[in-house]
Amino acid sequence: MNMNGNNIQECEVDIMKHIKTLTDKTLKNTMEKGGCGECQTSCQSACKTSCTVGNQTCENK
Amino acid sequence: MVHQYKNNGYNIVLDVCSGSVHVVDDLVYDVIALYEDNTPEEIADKLSKYSKEDVLEACDEIGQLKEAGQLFTEDVYKDAIVDFKKRKTVVKALCLHIAHDCNLACKYCFAGEGEYHGDRSLMSYEVGKKALDFLIANSGNRVNLEVDFFGGEPLMNFQVVKDLVAYGRSQEKEHNKKFRFTLTTNGVLLDDDVMEFANKEMANVVLSIDGRKEVHDAMRPTRNGKGSYDLIIDKFKKMAELRNQTNYYVRGTFTHHNTDFSKDVLHLADLGFKQISMEPVVAGPDMDYAITPEDVSKICEEYDLLAKEMVKREREGKGFNFFHFMIDLSGGPCIYKRLSGCGSGTEYLAVTPWGDLYPCHQFVGMEDFKVGNVDEGVTNTEVVDEFKLCNVYAKPKCRDCFARFYCSGGCAANSYNFHGNLTDAYEVGCDLEKKRVECAIMIKAALAEGGE
């Protein structure tokens, strides 16, 4: 686990000579199963004066 | 849309609409900038410092990623937001203003020293109970419900906090709900009893501290004008340890007076805190402590410094978590969440001590934004609909921004306070958010590479 609680092994293995892909997950794939709304509300964590949605974790188990 | 940038020696390419992130060499970095508007031969001509063979090889790799939907993808979400917004929203989070009163007199408090520009007031158990009932009744089939005990200083009304937690727990089974309670406190009244209770019941605790003693004391004095750092620091350390250095944040605010705020973050890290949040103050330009547009470049440098130091410490086994650099590249929120933002005014409401409902804590006290109360529920649907339609495509400044799926259009209160409407954006906030996203991705790139 890294400092942000995410597993570094999520990163893709480098198969290209010039490009290393950190994540090949596409947001488009979340269109089908997303929108359940169980995830945390962003302002309830540690901000209260800004919007930081991108760091939330999906809770659609 | 592709966003490419260099940071800390890394060439980073973010494919905005897919969320894919690539770290590339100089060759590909230069080729990508020309790829969409030129043939490979034209690119080779323009980039004569590279051999034609290398350029064609780079084009081939870029082409593969494009083919795989990981580069130069189109924004296909605009239609989805229309359908999404037609759906009935439910309330799943409340910010309970358990006390409109405070034992500190922080100079930057948007609540006007805790009182929200009104009378001092404490929430009664009856009002709080109705708020929880309202939440349960309006949460549809959502299981996880969030309730933040906020203020002012919520520990000035601690008995009601305890009683409401007990009431919430008593309702969970019957209604198939799970309450996640959180507490935001300045620490003055934190004692062993509060810690024990909070560590049993609170999913997260936010401990307010601004960093270095002199910085903290200058902005967070007590009511008699003395600094509050010494009153809280040992208690916060103890609290963090009791929570095993997880599920809490020490959270600070930096201002125009400490744009070298990386020192404050590192001060907290050096004290042993592992979960740290430090936010730019939000204040009108008439305040001497407000962040100015001229501060932005210095603050961005500070984010770079902090990001580099975090990578270094992580590699040394001394890492810590900085809230604004958290980014989950593979398991982050779905596109619907990213489009609709924080949920203020729809999924998230603030409750005043006397039971009025507002779109969020920052709107409390603005009469035009009152959406209802805990007795009658949401009655001002006009305001709620306005918030419901708040999304990245409703905001002209966000439509072409590379960070739009990370900040989701930014803070509605900031937009309103600086521009008088909900669909604008607070430019200073935008500049800083973009920098934070860049730093967060750089950290991922650096750590994926391993130690050096």
Side-chain angles (χ1 to χ4, degrees), chain B residues 28 31 35 39-40 43 54-64:
Chain B
V28 167
V31 172
Y35 189 83
T39 65
I43 296 170
D54 284 347
V55 169
L56 295 181
E57 189 175 77
C59 286
D60 180 56
E61 291 194 3
I62 292 166
Q64 286 182 49

Side-chain angles (χ1 to χ4, degrees), chain A residues 36-52:
Chain A
C36 76
E38 291 292 353
C39 51
Q40 190 180 31
T41 308
S42 49
C43 251
Q44 294 289 73
S45 44
C47 56
K48 291 286 186 192
T49 56
S50 62
C51 199
T52 41

Side-chain angles (χ1 to χ4, degrees), chain B residues 23 85 109 140 145 147 205 261 324 376 425 430 442:
Chain B
V23 182
K85 286 295 171 185
C109 184
L145 304 180
V147 174
V205 175
F261 67 94
H324 277 119
E376 297 166 23
C430 291
M442 182 283 287

Side-chain angles (χ1 to χ4, degrees), chain A residues 5 8 19 28 56:
Chain A
I8 295 176
I19 302 173
K28 199 176 165 184
Q56 302 290 308

Side-chain angles (χ1 to χ4, degrees), chain B residues 85 99 117 385 390 401 403 418 422:
Chain B
K85 286 295 171 185
H117 316 290
D385 283 346
C390 237
C401 175
F418 284 88
L422 300 177

Side-chain angles (χ1 to χ4, degrees), chain A residues 10-28:
Chain A
E10 72 199 14
C11 303
E12 283 296 298
V13 178
D14 182 7
I15 51 163
M16 292 188 176
K17 189 174 163 190
H18 305 280
I19 302 173
K20 182 174 171 181
T21 296
L22 287 186
T23 175
D24 58 0
K25 180 212 175 196
T26 84
L27 290 176
K28 199 176 165 184

Side-chain angles (χ1 to χ4, degrees), chain B residues 205-219:
Chain B
V205 175
V206 178
L207 309 169
S208 301
I209 180 169
D210 283 354
R212 291 166 290 180
K213 176 175 161 59
E214 63 273 21
V215 171
H216 178 96
D217 284 347
M219 292 307 279

